[in-house]
Amino acid sequence: MTQLRLAASLAVLGLMFSGSAFAQQAVDASGPIDLRKVDPEANMVEELVVNARLPGPAWWKVSDADTTVYVLGVPALTPAKLEVDESVFKRRVDGANVLIMGQEADVSVVRLISLALAGKRYFITDKPMRQTLPPDLRARLEARLAAMKEKPDSMDEVKPAFAGFLVANGGEGGDVSIHLGGVTDAIRDIAKGKDLDKRPRIQNLPGYSLVDAIKSLGGAPQPLQELCLDAGLRQAESGQEGIKALAERWARGEVRQVVSADRGFQRCLASTPSIAHDLRDGRDDAVRAISAALKTPGKAVAVIELRSLLAEDGVLDQLRAKGFTVTTPGE
């Protein structure tokens, strides 16, 4: 793999780091990884996972005696073009005190390319990668490479985690095909639009450094490297309809189907503990911002990544623990 191809792959890898929350525990490099300890998004709060009744995506409500915060859960990834019923969002954001936009990645293409060209040690392996793999994982990788019309040694230069990303998002020709969705940008545009009677103040919560996140993944221990390759292969092998179909289900309010789908390479990212601190801060920032919005009578709107919203100890779970009333889309 050339450095140019690696640079392009890293730029696309950035799109995968959209709003996931990560664990704080250190990975034990001596053996298999227990995802129950390292992946805080593995388990959802079942009573919060409810399909929508109204047209369009699902909404939750957090309320106290005199304020309601309408919370829209958004997927981490969506296609660039996605038809979404905006009627409910427009009605709720019109006259809202504040629109809270949850944590997003700080993407610097210049820094990504610089990292790929100058930070080779993060991504390139000294020993041919396939020689480091258990036999079953190696066999699955070689089968996938054959399906992609690639040579068995075509990824031997890169670490397993990045091989997992490439096979997860490569077509039969090996080209990365993932797209960055425009849902959050579209939401901001609506909130700034002139067709609202009263436009809300927009509060963008702090982001996190994508470059630092990529460095962390590049330095992951071998068990996590293998988990990431397995996750990428699972995504490629599953034959699931992909990001477009899941995004369309989200747009129809089919929450259960979205959160129950195989997470593919997202499972790798959500099991990378070294970037946990900044991303868990993002979850806590959302809880604090919604709690603060509830102090002003009236209504507010928040837009939070779906799994972060619904996970155990996630945003809604924490708000319930604080004594606020949480209403699901089905109520």
Side-chain angles (χ1 to χ4, degrees):
M1 174 180 290
T2 66
Q3 287 186 326
L4 180 60
R5 180 180 174 190
L6 180 58
S9 300
L10 285 175
V12 180
L13 177 60
L15 311 186
M16 299 295 293
F17 285 82
S18 301
S20 298
F22 294 80
Q24 292 179 339
Q25 293 91 341
V27 169
D28 179 1
S30 64
I33 296 172
D34 185 348
L35 290 183
R36 293 172 297 181
K37 295 180 179 179
V38 300
D39 182 356
E41 294 189 342
N43 301 308
M44 300 291 99
V45 179
E46 291 300 327
E47 61 265 33
L48 297 176
V49 180
V50 179
N51 287 356
R53 292 187 299 108
L54 297 175
W59 290 81
W60 290 257
K61 292 190 293 185
V62 183
S63 57
D64 60 10
D66 56 4
T67 310
T68 296
V69 179
Y70 296 96
V71 185
L72 176 63
V74 296
L77 294 169
T78 58
K81 295 180 180 180
L82 178 66
E83 292 186 8
V84 183
D85 188 316
E86 300 173 346
S87 59
V88 175
F89 179 81
K90 288 180 177 178
R91 184 170 70 249
R92 288 179 170 172
V93 78
D94 196 348
N97 297 322
V98 61
L99 168 62
I100 300 165
M101 300 298 296
Q103 183 189 54
E104 296 180 84
D106 176 14
V107 181
S108 168
V109 175
V110 173
R111 289 190 67 199
L112 278 173
I113 298 301
S114 175
L115 177 63
L117 297 178
K120 186 176 179 180
R121 64 187 176 88
Y122 292 109
F123 320 110
I124 303 300
T125 180
D126 295 331
K127 186 176 183 180
M129 185 263 291
R130 288 177 303 150
Q131 295 182 17
T132 70
L133 301 177
D136 59 335
L137 195 57
R138 174 172 176 163
R140 288 170 59 205
L141 173 61
E142 291 176 348
R144 177 49 44 184
L145 290 173
M148 294 169 63
K149 298 181 172 58
E150 295 275 0
K151 295 180 180 179
D153 63 353
S154 62
M155 295 185 185
D156 272 3
E157 289 181 318
V158 298
K159 294 180 179 179
F162 292 99
F165 167 74
L166 292 172
V167 298
N169 299 290
E172 290 191 354
D175 295 326
V176 176
S177 57
I178 196 171
H179 301 283
L180 177 63
V183 168
T184 53
D185 287 340
I187 287 171
R188 289 186 180 91
D189 289 343
I190 293 171
K192 296 175 182 177
K194 296 181 179 179
D195 57 338
L196 299 182
D197 293 331
K198 182 183 177 183
R199 295 189 290 273
R201 174 176 64 88
I202 299 178
Q203 179 183 2
N204 294 304
L205 299 185
Y208 60 94
S209 169
L210 177 60
V211 171
D212 290 344
I214 291 175
K215 286 182 179 179
S216 298
L217 184 58
Q222 184 67 13
L224 184 53
Q225 293 281 339
E226 292 176 8
L227 182 149
C228 291
L229 177 55
D230 171 73
L233 287 168
R234 284 165 57 89
Q235 180 170 322
E237 294 162 350
S238 67
Q240 65 180 347
E241 298 163 275
I243 292 170
K244 183 176 184 293
L246 286 178
E248 290 172 349
R249 288 173 176 168
W250 166 78
R252 295 192 296 266
E254 298 175 6
V255 178
R256 294 191 185 96
Q257 292 85 340
V258 173
V259 300
S260 64
D262 192 304
R263 296 160 67 196
F265 200 76
Q266 288 285 335
R267 176 171 169 262
C268 158
L269 302 181
S271 305
T272 307
S274 51
I275 64 174
H277 185 268
D278 286 347
L279 297 178
R280 191 171 287 275
D281 279 352
R283 177 184 287 183
D284 294 341
D285 286 342
V287 172
R288 283 191 290 268
I290 293 173
S291 299
L294 287 161
K295 296 179 181 178
T296 302
K299 67 176 180 177
V301 175
V303 179
I304 309 295
E305 194 273 322
L306 193 60
R307 293 192 73 91
S308 177
L309 185 69
L310 302 178
E312 293 179 359
D313 197 37
V315 174
L316 292 181
D317 206 18
Q318 290 191 39
L319 289 166
R320 289 198 308 181
K322 290 179 177 292
F324 297 116
T325 299
V326 174
T327 307
T328 70
E331 297 179 71

